[in-house]
Amino acid sequence: MSGDHEPGDPSIDGDTSFGGKVTADGGGALTGLFAPERVAVVGATDREGSVGRAVTENLIAEFDGEVVPVNPSRDEVLGLSCVGSVADADADMAVVAVPPGAVIDVVRECGESGVRNVVVLTAGFGETGAEGADREQQLRSVAAEYDLNLVGPNSLGVMSSPRGLNATFGPDAPPAGGVSFMSQSGAFVTAVVDWAKEQGIGFKDVVSLGNKAVLDETDFVRAWGDDPDTDVVVGYLESIDDGRAFVDAARETTDDTPVTVVKSGRTDAGAQAASSHTGAIAGSDRAYEAGLDAAGVLRAESVQELFDSARALAGGDVPESDGVAVVTNAGGPGVMATDAVGDAERLRLASFDDGTVESLSEALPDEANVYNPVDVIGDASVDRFREALDIALRDPDVGSVVVITAPTATLDFGELGEMIADAADEHGVPMAACLMGGGRLADARDVLRERGVPSYFDPARAVGGLESLAEYREVRGRSYPEPEPIDADRERVREILSSVTERSDNRLGVEAMEIFDAYGIPTPEGAVVDDPAEAERIAEGIGEEVVMKIVSPDILHKSDIGGVKVGVPVAEVGDAYEDLVSRARNYQPDATILGVQIQELIDLDDGVETIVGSHTDPQFGPLVMFGLGGVFVEIMEDTTFRLAPVGRDEAAEMTEEIEAAPLLRGARGREAVDLDSVVDAVRRVSQLVADFPSIVELDVNPLVATPDGVRAVDLRLTVDPEELESQS
Amino acid sequence: MSGDHEPGDPSIDGDTSFGGKVTADGGGALTGLFAPERVAVVGATDREGSVGRAVTENLIAEFDGEVVPVNPSRDEVLGLSCVGSVADADADMAVVAVPPGAVIDVVRECGESGVRNVVVLTAGFGETGAEGADREQQLRSVAAEYDLNLVGPNSLGVMSSPRGLNATFGPDAPPAGGVSFMSQSGAFVTAVVDWAKEQGIGFKDVVSLGNKAVLDETDFVRAWGDDPDTDVVVGYLESIDDGRAFVDAARETTDDTPVTVVKSGRTDAGAQAASSHTGAIAGSDRAYEAGLDAAGVLRAESVQELFDSARALAGGDVPESDGVAVVTNAGGPGVMATDAVGDAERLRLASFDDGTVESLSEALPDEANVYNPVDVIGDASVDRFREALDIALRDPDVGSVVVITAPTATLDFGELGEMIADAADEHGVPMAACLMGGGRLADARDVLRERGVPSYFDPARAVGGLESLAEYREVRGRSYPEPEPIDADRERVREILSSVTERSDNRLGVEAMEIFDAYGIPTPEGAVVDDPAEAERIAEGIGEEVVMKIVSPDILHKSDIGGVKVGVPVAEVGDAYEDLVSRARNYQPDATILGVQIQELIDLDDGVETIVGSHTDPQFGPLVMFGLGGVFVEIMEDTTFRLAPVGRDEAAEMTEEIEAAPLLRGARGREAVDLDSVVDAVRRVSQLVADFPSIVELDVNPLVATPDGVRAVDLRLTVDPEELESQS
C-alpha cells in the first residue's frame, strides 16, 4: 500500500475508473469502495458492543490494506494507533460510525481531505422522521459538493472478498466467490452471509445500501457490470429510486452479467410494510414488473428462489436450447423433475433423436428407460451414469440437464460428483444436480459446490435453477433498438392539452379525439358538433345510422346517464341531439356541455374491443397497457404493461402475451383482426404519452380492431397542469 | 414375544384390529404390518450386496421383536439360525426377497401357514411387461385367497419407529416422530429418510407401496387415520387406483389427521413419465385435483412443499383465524414475510386492534413498528421479543404467527428458541419460525426441532407452512352431506339412452333434450319436428321468432354447416325447414336426419352463456364441470371441476370460484342472473351423470342464465354402449 500519497491525489486510486461519482450517465467500477488501500474508521473504539468496535475488528481481521482508527479521545484502538481526525488518516476510504449529529461534519472533512469513498453506518437519518430527513438532505448536499462515493447512511457497510475487506459491523465475512450482492436490508446481509457459509455460496462484493442517500442500486448494478470478478449480481431491493436510470444501467450489465433480484413489497400488504420500513413511496408492482423486465433483470419471489437462481447463473454457461434432459437413477424423482419441467414457462422436456435413443439402448440395461427422463436404474454405477449423461448431452435438442440421484448402495458419491462436474466442464452444457438425500450424498454435494455445479435436494428447485438460465439466455439475446420514430403533429397535441388550463377540470374526453389524428391513430368518421342541424348534416355524410355521445368534461361516465346513443337513424339525429343535451342538463345543471359527438357506427360483430391505456409511475415514468375490452380487463385482469414508448416488436409481444390473444387471431371461427394496425396503434399511443409527460393517465377504450384495421372510439385522459406548465 | 403360538392362531396378533384385509368398506390399523412380533425373512442370506442380506441386517439392527431367517440352503444367516420354510418360522409377518419365479409359492405358503402380513420386496412383476403382469395377477389371487395384507411387490419394504422395525433393504432407518409416510417410489423413501435425519423430521410408519398389487394408498390412509401415534400422513403418489374409495377413506382420516401428498404426473410430460414408471393409466390431473380436494387431502407441488407442510401440520394446532401476525427483529425479512402472506390464498395480515397497538407501543422502543409486521428492532433481547410476541398472540385477529430473526449480537439463540416454543405451548396458536441465518442460529434451530415448532430459512416457506394449516382448518371444518335427492324420471332417461344401441353412433345431441325434462333442468320451449307444417305449427305457439337447428347424430358441429338459424320469423319457418334439411343433405348425403328442432329464442342480451359439462375419469368416475361459455372455457380455461354428484353447497362454490364469477353476479351494470337456478341445474346435471355411468361425456352448452332462470339450450353426450348394456 502506498501510504505516502497526498490525500486527494487521484493516483492513490490504483484503478483508472475509480473516484468519479458514478452518475446515471457515467460509468465506473466503484473500485475505491471495494478495494481501498487504507481505510479510516471514524468513531473507532474499544467499547464492547459498539458499532465502532465491531467494524474495526472486522477490518483488522482479514483486510490486506491498512486500517486507521480515527478517534480524538483515544491514542490507540484495538492495538492500532489512532489519529484525531479523518484528515490525518491519509486514507482513500472512510467508514463513519459517529453519532448522527456528528456525521455531516465528518463527511465534509472527508471531502475536504480528499477521501472520496465514504460508508456511513450511522442510523438516524431519513428512516426516522423529519429531523432525520433533513439531516439526510444535508448529507446529500455535502456528498455532491465533494463528489463523494457515499454508501448509506444507516448501512451495515460493505465487504469485498478479494482484498479481505469487511467494512461492516456484522458478525461474519462471507466466503469468497463470484456473487456480488446489494441489499436494502442490513439484517438480510447478515442473514445471507451466515447462511451462505452453510450453502457454499461465495461472494465477490457485498453492499448494504442503507438509505441510499447517494449511491443506489443503479450505481452498483452498473459498477458490477464492469467487474470481471462478478459472475452474477444479486439484489434485495425494496424500492428503485430512478427506474429509467436503473433500466439503462442494468441493460448494459445484463448483456454479459446476469442480475437477479427480489423486489419486495410485491403485494399490497408488502408494499405498505416496505414503505414503512424504508420511507420510500411505492410505485405499483406492475410498473416494477415492467421495469425489471425491460432492464433484463430476473425477478425472484423469495430468498430461496433468489439464491437458487444465483447459484445456477454463477456457473456461466447458458443453454442453447430450452430442451431439458433428465437423467436419474430413481424413477419417482425423475417424474417429479419432469413435472417441474412441465410447469416451467421457458423449459420443455427435450425430445431425443433416434441416434440418442439407440445409443442409450445399447449403453443401458433392458429395464432402463431410454427416453427422456432417462432412468439408469437404481443399481447404476458411476460409469453407467456417465455414459448415459454423455449420450444425452450430445443430443442436439438438449440445452440443459438435470442429474438426479437417490442414496444407493452402488455409488461412490464423491466420484459421482466429480463425474458430473467433469461432464459439465467438457460439454459446456448447463447442468443442475438433484441430490435427493442427506448425509449419504454429502460427498457429492461438497464436490459439486467446490466445482461450481449447483445442486439441490428438490427436483423442482433444480429445474428452477435451469429456468433462470433459460430466462437469462433470452435476456442476453436481446437488443434494445430505439422505437421506430413516429411522424406526429406534436404542436396540435400541445394546443389541445393546454385547453385544460382554461378549465377547472384536468380531464379530457372525446373532445380531445383530435389527439389521435395528430398521432396517426385511426378514429371513426365523425365530428363534435354544437347544434342539431349540424349534427344532421354530419350524420348524413357518414351513413344510415350513427353513434351519438354527449361531450362534456363534467360527465365522465356518459353511458350511466344515457349520454350515448348507438345506431341512431339519420332522420332521428336532430331529436337525439336535443335529448342528449337535456339528459346532461338534468344530470348536472351546471355542466359544461361542449356539444355532441356524431360517430360512424362500427360493427362490433366483426371486431374485438381492445383497450390501450397508460399511466405515469413515480419510479418508471409512463407505462403503456394493452388488453381486451370489457370483462377481460375488468374481471379477468388480462392485461400487459411496458415502459413507454414501445417499438413494433414490443407492441407485437404485448398483443401476443395476453391470455385472450387467440381472440385477436381469429379464434372460434372468426376472421383475424388486422394485427399490424393494433400493434401500430399501441406504439403510437405509447409514443404520445412518452412525448407528453403531462398526460398522467390515458385510456383508449375501446380501440376496436376489425379485419380491416382499428378505430379509437373513445378517449379519457388526465393532464397534470403543473407538468403541462413546465413543458410549455 | 409369544413364539409358542400356533401359526394361524389369530391370538398372535396382539391387536384386535390386526389381520383382516383392509377393504374399502372396512377398517383396520394394519398393526400387523408395522408392529409384528416375529418377522420371517424369506430369502435371508449372508451374501454381500444382496437384498436378502440388507433387509436381514436392517431388521436385526433395532427391531424389538424376533427375526427368523428363512433359507433352506443355510443353517445360519448373520448369526441367526435359519428355518427351511416360512411355515416353520412361526412368524406373524414375512418379508419376501426371493427370485420373482419363487414369490407366488412363498406367498401361498405364508397364507397356508397363517402369516397374514407379507411384504414382497422382489421386483419383476407388473412393472416389467406381460409376463410380470401375469405374475402380479397370480400374486393378487393368492393374496385374496388367504386374505393377506400384502405390500408390494417391487417394494423397498416397511418401517415403523416405535418397535424399531426396519423391514426394508434401504440404507437407513428414519428418526422417530409423528409423520407416517407412504411412497410409490422406493428411491424416494431412501432419499427422504436420509434427508430427514438432517432436517429433524421424525417418522412413525413408512411404507414403500411398490406395485400396490394388494394394499394401496386407500388402505394406508385409512389405517393411519386410526393410529393415535400418527400426527400427519404424507404421501408420494403417482396414481390412485380407486379414486372414490380413496376419497371415502381419506375423508374419515382427515377429520382429525391431516393428509398431504405429492401426486406427481401433474403435467402432460410428467404424466407420461409416471405412466412409463408405474404402468398405471393416468387420469386427467383435473380429476386428481378434484378428487384430492373432495378427499380433504392437501396437495403439494414439490418435495420441499410436501415436508414444509408436513412439519407445520405435525404441530397439531390449527389456527382459529386466517389473520397472520409477523414479529421480526429485521425489517427486510418482515417485508418478505408480508409479501408471502399477501400471496397466500388463505392468509392475510392480521389487523391488530387498538389495545394491541397500544400495548406494543408501551412495550417497544420508539423506533419499533407496532403495526403488523411488528419490528422489535435489531437490538431486541429475548425478553423484548417475548413481550411483543405475547401481545400479538393475544390479539383476537391473530390465528397464527411468523417469528423472524436474523443473526444479531444481542440474542442467545438457544434461549430465543425456548422462548418461541414456550409461547407456542402457552397460547396454542400455530407458530412458524423463520431463522434467517446459518450456523449462528443453529441453537435456535435445534431447540425448535426438539420442541416441534417448524422453522425455515425463507420467510416464504414459513408462511407456506402456515398456509397448510389454514387449508387443513378448512378441511377439518367440513361436513360431507349427501347431495339433496333429485326427483327424476330415470326410466325415461334409460329409454332415451338406449336409442343409441339402435344406431352405429354412440353420440346424442338435441334429440336427447328430453333428458333435461326428466331431470328437471329447464329447456327453451319447443320441439323436434319432422315436417315443415308441424314446424310452423310449433313455431306459432312459441312467439314471433324462433331458433331452428338441424337434428342429426351425424352432424356434430351444426353451426359449421349452417345448420342453425337464429331469429327466424314464424312466416319463414317452413322455408327455413327445407333449407336446413337440404344443407344437411349437401354436407353428408347419407346422414341420418331426425328432423329440425324449433326453439324459443332466448335473448342473450339479458343472459350469460354458461357451460355445464361432465366426463368420466378412469380413477374418479364422473366429474362435473362448470364455466362460462365461449372464450372463457375455450381460451381462458376458466373452469372448475367436482366429483359428481354435487349438492347445492358444492354447486354454489363452483359458480363462485371461476374467475369470471362476477359476470354472473351482475358486473358492469348488468342485472345478476338467477344464481339459484344455475346452482340447481349444475347439481341436477351432476346427479344425471352419477345415475347413468353409461354417459361418459356430456356437454350442456350453452346453459343460458338470465335474471329469470336458466335454459339448457343445447346438448351433446356420448354413451358407452357396453356400460349401457350392463346397466339395463
Side-chain angles (χ1 to χ4, degrees):
Chain A
M1 141 83 201
S2 48
D4 51 354
H5 284 285
E6 284 297 305
D9 177 355
S11 66
I12 66 169
D13 303 341
D15 183 298
T16 53
S17 65
F18 163 81
K21 161 71 179 90
V22 173
T23 53
D25 54 355
L30 293 176
T31 317
L33 274 172
F34 295 116
E37 298 295 326
R38 195 168 154 95
V39 179
V41 184
V42 191
T45 167
D46 292 287
R47 189 162 46 82
E48 287 283 353
S50 71
V51 168
R53 178 182 175 123
V55 67
T56 311
E57 277 178 339
N58 281 337
L59 275 165
I60 292 171
E62 298 280 344
F63 182 42
D64 72 1
E66 289 185 41
V67 182
V68 188
V70 178
N71 190 332
S73 39
R74 293 179 192 245
D75 292 334
E76 212 185 85
V77 167
L78 298 166
L80 298 176
S81 345
C82 258
V83 298
S85 91
V86 70
D88 302 330
D90 189 21
D92 53 347
M93 168 163 155
V95 179
V96 180
V98 298
V103 169
I104 306 292
D105 286 344
V106 168
V107 171
R108 180 176 297 281
E109 214 177 334
C110 289
E112 279 172 358
S113 59
V115 181
R116 310 246 329 258
N117 302 290
V118 180
V119 179
V120 182
L121 309 183
T122 312
F125 287 78
E127 81 284 8
T128 56
E131 195 189 335
D134 214 51
R135 195 180 288 135
E136 189 159 316
Q137 190 45 52
Q138 289 174 49
L139 183 64
R140 201 173 278 123
S141 303
V142 174
E145 189 180 339
Y146 295 97
D147 198 15
L148 304 181
N149 292 320
L150 186 142
V151 174
N154 191 20
S155 164
L156 184 80
V158 302
M159 314 185 190
S160 184
S161 58
R163 303 284 308 278
L165 178 79
N166 180 358
T168 75
F169 58 98
D172 299 287
V179 175
S180 283
F181 172 44
M182 57 182 161
S183 170
Q184 210 167 332
S185 157
F188 189 57
V189 171
T190 62
V192 164
V193 165
D194 185 25
W195 173 76
K197 284 191 286 190
E198 285 182 353
Q199 302 289 314
I201 299 170
F203 293 84
K204 161 66 171 41
D205 298 333
V206 176
V207 57
S208 159
L209 294 169
N211 293 4
K212 308 193 291 190
V214 179
L215 294 179
D216 65 17
E217 55 284 344
T218 297
D219 303 299
F220 290 100
V221 91
R222 180 186 295 106
W224 285 325
D226 295 335
D227 175 14
D229 298 328
T230 292
D231 299 326
V232 53
V233 174
V234 171
Y236 168 74
L237 301 176
E238 297 185 354
S239 64
I240 290 178
D241 293 335
D242 180 340
R244 296 284 173 145
F246 181 78
V247 169
D248 290 341
R251 282 181 173 182
E252 276 182 41
T253 294
T254 55
D255 193 40
D256 55 13
T257 306
V259 179
T260 178
V261 307
V262 163
K263 160 63 188 73
S264 73
R266 278 182 293 114
T267 62
D268 290 346
Q272 213 178 332
S275 144
S276 99
H277 179 222
T278 63
I281 301 155
S284 80
D285 197 65
R286 297 298 296 256
Y288 275 108
E289 197 70 39
L292 292 171
D293 180 59
V297 168
L298 278 53
R299 184 174 188 182
E301 298 217 331
S302 67
V303 193
Q304 178 175 291
E305 205 185 310
L306 183 67
F307 284 95
D308 280 358
S309 151
R311 284 195 289 159
L313 291 163
D317 290 324
V318 172
E320 285 178 17
S321 130
D322 54 4
V324 178
V326 176
V327 181
T328 179
N329 65 1
V335 176
M336 285 186 250
T338 305
D339 268 339
V341 171
D343 283 336
E345 215 180 303
R346 288 183 174 77
L347 301 175
R348 60 184 171 79
L349 209 60
S351 81
F352 292 157
D353 68 17
D354 294 347
T356 303
V357 172
E358 211 170 293
S359 305
L360 286 169
S361 302
E362 281 164 26
L364 299 178
D366 285 355
E367 314 82 54
N369 186 15
V370 297
Y371 297 93
N372 201 5
V374 179
D375 188 346
V376 298
I377 310 284
D379 64 353
S381 61
V382 171
D383 283 346
R384 191 200 291 168
F385 234 130
R386 166 82 207 215
E387 224 174 327
L389 208 48
D390 276 336
I391 296 166
L393 280 161
R394 280 195 296 267
D395 188 278
D397 196 39
V398 171
S400 58
V401 179
V402 184
V403 193
I404 305 172
T405 186
T408 72
T410 47
L411 287 171
D412 174 320
F413 289 98
E415 214 183 292
L416 182 75
E418 297 288 0
M419 181 281 280
I420 293 170
D422 288 347
D425 287 348
E426 281 172 37
H427 293 269
V429 170
M431 221 178 271
C434 170
L435 303 177
M436 283 204 95
R440 293 197 172 261
L441 308 185
D443 288 352
R445 208 171 296 130
D446 291 345
V447 168
L448 292 175
R449 186 173 291 171
E450 187 63 38
R451 297 193 52 187
V453 176
S455 80
Y456 311 83
F457 170 75
D458 189 329
R461 289 177 60 188
V463 171
L466 295 182
E467 198 179 13
S468 300
L469 295 177
E471 198 176 346
Y472 180 56
R473 170 180 170 237
E474 183 269 312
V475 167
R476 223 172 57 170
R478 285 187 192 175
S479 59
Y480 298 104
E482 282 293 308
E484 302 80 0
I486 280 169
D487 188 25
D489 183 350
R490 291 174 172 80
E491 196 41 54
R492 181 73 193 107
V493 174
R494 202 163 286 126
E495 281 167 32
I496 296 168
L497 294 180
S498 65
S499 73
V500 302
T501 56
E502 296 151 23
R503 298 208 311 262
S504 60
D505 199 341
N506 57 356
R507 286 167 299 187
L508 291 171
V510 286
E511 67 273 19
M513 296 262 300
E514 249 188 87
I515 283 179
F516 292 141
D517 302 333
Y519 266 75
I521 299 160
T523 52
E525 221 179 310
V528 175
V529 297
D530 56 7
D531 75 85
E534 179 70 359
E536 279 173 30
R537 204 186 57 76
I538 296 285
E540 275 161 17
I542 290 176
E544 289 174 27
E545 294 181 339
V546 294
V547 177
M548 298 176 66
K549 297 176 191 168
I550 193 76
V551 179
S552 164
D554 299 319
I555 299 171
L556 232 65
H557 299 280
K558 297 184 286 285
S559 305
D560 295 356
I561 65 146
V564 178
K565 288 172 183 276
V566 176
V568 184
V570 171
E572 297 170 20
V573 163
D575 291 348
Y577 182 100
E578 305 290 5
D579 184 46
L580 285 172
V581 171
S582 83
R583 276 168 195 255
R585 287 261 169 272
N586 284 342
Y587 169 69
Q588 190 178 326
D590 63 346
T592 304
I593 293 175
L594 302 176
V596 168
Q597 189 189 40
I598 315 296
Q599 238 180 20
E600 174 191 0
L601 180 66
I602 309 276
D603 186 1
L604 273 177
D605 284 352
D606 292 334
V608 177
E609 285 190 44
T610 72
I611 298 183
V612 185
S614 171
H615 74 270
T616 302
D617 179 80
Q619 274 81 37
F620 287 93
L623 298 170
V624 61
M625 178 272 265
F626 178 73
L628 293 208
V631 289
F632 293 97
V633 166
E634 289 171 33
I635 294 173
M636 312 296 276
E637 295 178 11
D638 181 22
T639 54
T640 175
F641 287 79
R642 287 287 189 293
L643 304 192
V646 294
R648 253 189 208 99
D649 290 348
E650 265 190 292
E653 275 170 29
M654 294 176 77
T655 66
E656 283 158 19
E657 70 195 14
I658 55 170
E659 263 193 273
L663 280 184
L664 296 171
R665 282 162 182 73
R668 313 196 72 220
R670 297 172 65 150
E671 205 176 333
V673 307
D674 177 3
L675 266 174
D676 284 347
S677 64
V678 176
V679 166
D680 200 54
V682 170
R683 73 185 186 94
R684 284 171 188 273
V685 170
S686 78
Q687 189 65 56
L688 166 67
V689 295
D691 289 347
F692 292 92
S694 57
I695 303 178
V696 291
E697 229 176 325
L698 177 150
D699 269 315
V700 187
N701 180 9
L703 176 83
V704 175
T706 68
D708 304 319
V710 293
R711 294 281 185 286
V713 173
D714 207 346
L715 168 72
R716 253 160 69 190
L717 65 81
T718 307
V719 172
D720 176 348
E722 283 176 39
E723 185 74 44
L724 189 63
E725 199 86 359
S726 77
Q727 280 174 260
S728 53
Chain B
M1 142 83 199
S2 47
D4 51 354
H5 285 285
E6 284 299 304
D9 177 354
S11 67
I12 67 170
D13 303 342
D15 183 296
T16 52
S17 65
F18 162 81
K21 160 72 178 92
V22 172
T23 53
D25 53 355
L30 293 176
T31 316
L33 274 171
F34 295 116
E37 297 295 327
R38 194 168 155 95
V39 178
V41 184
V42 191
T45 167
D46 292 289
R47 189 163 46 82
E48 285 284 353
S50 70
V51 167
R53 178 183 175 122
V55 67
T56 311
E57 277 178 339
N58 282 338
L59 275 165
I60 292 170
E62 297 280 345
F63 183 41
D64 72 2
E66 288 185 42
V67 181
V68 188
V70 179
N71 190 332
S73 39
R74 293 180 191 242
D75 293 334
E76 211 185 87
V77 167
L78 299 165
L80 297 177
S81 347
C82 258
V83 297
S85 90
V86 71
D88 303 328
D90 189 21
D92 54 347
M93 167 161 155
V95 179
V96 181
V98 299
V103 168
I104 306 294
D105 287 343
V106 168
V107 171
R108 180 176 297 282
E109 215 178 332
C110 288
E112 280 171 358
S113 59
V115 181
R116 311 245 330 259
N117 301 291
V118 180
V119 179
V120 181
L121 309 183
T122 311
F125 287 77
E127 81 282 9
T128 57
E131 196 190 334
D134 215 50
R135 194 179 289 134
E136 189 159 316
Q137 190 45 54
Q138 288 174 50
L139 183 64
R140 203 175 277 122
S141 303
V142 174
E145 191 181 338
Y146 295 97
D147 198 15
L148 304 180
N149 291 321
L150 186 142
V151 173
N154 191 22
S155 164
L156 184 80
V158 302
M159 314 183 190
S160 184
S161 58
R163 302 284 306 278
L165 177 79
N166 179 359
T168 76
F169 58 98
D172 298 287
V179 175
S180 283
F181 173 43
M182 57 182 161
S183 170
Q184 210 168 334
S185 157
F188 189 58
V189 172
T190 62
V192 164
V193 165
D194 186 25
W195 174 75
K197 284 191 286 189
E198 286 181 352
Q199 301 290 313
I201 299 171
F203 293 83
K204 160 66 170 45
D205 300 331
V206 176
V207 57
S208 158
L209 295 169
N211 293 3
K212 308 193 292 189
V214 179
L215 293 179
D216 66 15
E217 54 284 344
T218 298
D219 302 299
F220 290 100
V221 92
R222 180 185 295 105
W224 286 325
D226 294 334
D227 175 15
D229 297 329
T230 292
D231 298 326
V232 52
V233 174
V234 171
Y236 168 74
L237 300 176
E238 296 185 354
S239 64
I240 289 177
D241 293 335
D242 179 341
R244 296 285 172 143
F246 180 80
V247 169
D248 289 342
R251 282 182 173 181
E252 276 182 41
T253 295
T254 54
D255 193 40
D256 54 12
T257 307
V259 179
T260 178
V261 306
V262 162
K263 159 65 188 72
S264 73
R266 276 183 295 113
T267 62
D268 290 346
Q272 212 177 332
S275 146
S276 99
H277 179 223
T278 63
I281 300 156
S284 81
D285 197 65
R286 297 299 295 257
Y288 276 108
E289 197 69 39
L292 292 171
D293 180 59
V297 169
L298 276 52
R299 184 174 188 182
E301 298 218 331
S302 67
V303 193
Q304 177 175 292
E305 207 185 307
L306 183 67
F307 284 96
D308 280 359
S309 149
R311 284 193 291 159
L313 291 164
D317 289 325
V318 172
E320 285 177 17
S321 130
D322 54 3
V324 179
V326 177
V327 181
T328 178
N329 65 2
V335 177
M336 285 185 249
T338 306
D339 267 339
V341 171
D343 283 335
E345 215 179 302
R346 288 183 173 77
L347 301 175
R348 60 183 171 78
L349 209 60
S351 83
F352 292 156
D353 68 17
D354 293 348
T356 303
V357 172
E358 210 169 295
S359 305
L360 285 169
S361 302
E362 281 165 25
L364 299 178
D366 285 353
E367 313 83 54
N369 187 15
V370 296
Y371 297 94
N372 201 4
V374 179
D375 188 345
V376 298
I377 310 283
D379 65 353
S381 61
V382 171
D383 283 345
R384 191 200 292 167
F385 234 130
R386 166 86 208 212
E387 224 172 328
L389 208 48
D390 277 337
I391 296 166
L393 281 162
R394 279 194 297 267
D395 188 278
D397 196 38
V398 171
S400 57
V401 179
V402 184
V403 193
I404 305 173
T405 185
T408 71
T410 47
L411 286 171
D412 174 321
F413 288 98
E415 214 182 292
L416 182 74
E418 296 289 1
M419 180 280 280
I420 293 171
D422 288 347
D425 287 350
E426 281 172 39
H427 293 269
V429 170
M431 221 178 270
C434 170
L435 303 178
M436 284 205 95
R440 293 197 170 261
L441 307 185
D443 287 351
R445 208 171 295 130
D446 292 345
V447 168
L448 292 175
R449 185 173 291 170
E450 188 63 37
R451 297 195 51 187
V453 176
S455 80
Y456 312 83
F457 171 74
D458 189 330
R461 289 176 61 188
V463 172
L466 295 182
E467 199 181 12
S468 300
L469 295 178
E471 199 176 345
Y472 180 56
R473 170 181 170 234
E474 183 269 312
V475 167
R476 223 173 56 170
R478 285 187 192 175
S479 58
Y480 298 104
E482 281 293 308
E484 303 79 1
I486 280 169
D487 188 26
D489 184 351
R490 291 174 172 81
E491 196 41 55
R492 182 72 193 110
V493 174
R494 203 163 285 125
E495 280 166 32
I496 296 168
L497 294 180
S498 65
S499 74
V500 301
T501 56
E502 297 150 23
R503 297 208 311 262
S504 59
D505 199 340
N506 58 356
R507 285 168 299 187
L508 291 171
V510 285
E511 66 275 18
M513 295 262 301
E514 250 189 85
I515 284 179
F516 291 142
D517 301 334
Y519 266 75
I521 300 159
T523 52
E525 221 179 310
V528 176
V529 297
D530 56 7
D531 76 87
E534 178 72 358
E536 279 174 31
R537 204 185 57 75
I538 296 285
E540 275 161 17
I542 291 177
E544 289 174 28
E545 293 181 340
V546 294
V547 177
M548 298 176 66
K549 297 176 192 169
I550 194 76
V551 179
S552 163
D554 300 318
I555 299 171
L556 232 67
H557 298 280
K558 298 184 286 286
S559 304
D560 295 355
I561 65 146
V564 177
K565 288 172 182 278
V566 176
V568 184
V570 171
E572 296 170 21
V573 164
D575 291 346
Y577 183 99
E578 305 290 3
D579 184 46
L580 285 171
V581 172
S582 82
R583 276 167 196 257
R585 288 261 170 272
N586 284 341
Y587 169 69
Q588 190 179 326
D590 63 345
T592 303
I593 293 175
L594 302 176
V596 168
Q597 189 187 41
I598 314 295
Q599 237 180 22
E600 174 191 0
L601 179 66
I602 308 276
D603 186 0
L604 275 177
D605 284 352
D606 292 334
V608 176
E609 286 191 42
T610 72
I611 297 183
V612 184
S614 171
H615 74 270
T616 302
D617 179 79
Q619 274 81 37
F620 287 93
L623 297 170
V624 60
M625 179 271 268
F626 177 73
L628 292 208
V631 290
F632 292 97
V633 166
E634 290 170 33
I635 294 173
M636 313 296 275
E637 295 177 11
D638 181 22
T639 54
T640 176
F641 287 80
R642 287 287 189 293
L643 305 192
V646 293
R648 251 188 210 101
D649 289 349
E650 265 190 292
E653 275 171 29
M654 294 177 77
T655 67
E656 283 158 18
E657 70 195 15
I658 56 171
E659 262 193 273
L663 280 184
L664 297 171
R665 281 161 183 74
R668 314 194 73 221
R670 296 171 65 150
E671 204 177 334
V673 307
D674 178 2
L675 266 174
D676 285 347
S677 62
V678 176
V679 166
D680 199 55
V682 170
R683 73 183 186 95
R684 284 170 188 274
V685 169
S686 77
Q687 188 65 56
L688 167 67
V689 295
D691 289 346
F692 293 91
S694 57
I695 303 178
V696 290
E697 228 176 326
L698 178 149
D699 268 316
V700 187
N701 180 10
L703 175 84
V704 176
T706 69
D708 304 319
V710 294
R711 294 281 185 287
V713 173
D714 207 346
L715 168 71
R716 253 161 68 190
L717 65 82
T718 307
V719 171
D720 177 348
E722 285 176 38
E723 184 75 44
L724 190 63
E725 199 86 1
S726 77
Q727 280 176 259
S728 54

